[in-house]
Amino acid sequence: MKDAWKYLGWMLLIGVVLWGGLTFQHHLRLEASRNFEIWPFFLYSTLFPIFLGVLLRLPRFIKERKGGKGWKVNWIKLLIVGFPLCYVTFVPLLAHYIPLQFLPFTLEIMHIESRTITGIILGYVVLDSLVER
């Protein structure tokens, strides 16, 4: 029964963060359409899914952290899984500074709303790549 309350509380927290975050993102989208300042919307819509991914992995990370052992980074997972996810997630921000012809697959990535999914997975993978020794 104790675990049920933990899960319920955690899902309630995630729901509140999701609702508040999406409400704020909608507000930023409206402000961007009013005054043509799109940079805050792009930045927030890139970083918020990463935060959600970290939030989804956080309970297990805390449980593993209680072991008190040393930590190391699983670089193989971070490079093979995390780097491509990072690229897809941050392409809209990179395209703001780097010409599109120098960024591979930019047009394909920008036309789909994959940034949210890849951002959530990226946040999860970053926290998941910290493993005990």
Side-chain angles (χ1 to χ4, degrees):
M1 189 66 172
K2 184 179 176 183
D3 286 340
W5 286 109
K6 279 189 216 178
Y7 292 135
L8 181 64
W10 196 251
M11 288 311 299
L12 189 64
L13 176 69
I14 289 173
V16 167
V17 168
L18 186 62
W19 176 77
L22 291 176
T23 302
F24 186 65
Q25 184 173 343
H26 179 69
H27 171 72
L28 286 176
R29 181 179 287 148
L30 289 176
E31 285 298 314
S33 68
R34 286 186 193 133
N35 57 9
F36 304 109
E37 185 63 40
I38 200 161
W39 182 248
F41 171 72
F42 266 165
L43 185 63
Y44 183 81
S45 66
T46 301
L47 297 178
F48 181 64
I50 297 171
F51 175 72
L52 283 178
V54 168
L55 196 62
L56 288 173
R57 178 63 168 90
L58 197 58
R60 186 169 162 206
F61 182 76
I62 292 171
K63 187 183 249 186
E64 291 171 352
R65 183 92 170 134
K66 289 182 180 178
K69 297 180 181 176
W71 292 89
K72 67 178 184 172
V73 177
N74 185 348
W75 290 107
I76 295 172
K77 180 187 285 186
L78 202 57
L79 290 175
I80 293 175
V81 179
F83 185 72
L85 290 170
C86 188
Y87 179 74
V88 172
T89 303
F90 284 97
V91 155
L93 298 178
L94 291 174
H96 189 72
Y97 294 108
I98 302 171
L100 293 179
Q101 64 264 25
F102 297 118
L103 295 171
F105 307 111
T106 304
L107 295 176
E108 291 84 359
I109 293 170
M110 295 276 278
H111 287 297
I112 56 175
E113 284 297 322
S114 63
R115 293 177 305 137
T116 304
I117 296 168
T118 57
I120 291 171
I121 297 170
L122 175 64
Y124 191 92
V125 165
V126 165
L127 208 56
D128 192 46
S129 65
L130 297 173
V131 293
E132 291 181 325
R133 290 183 187 217

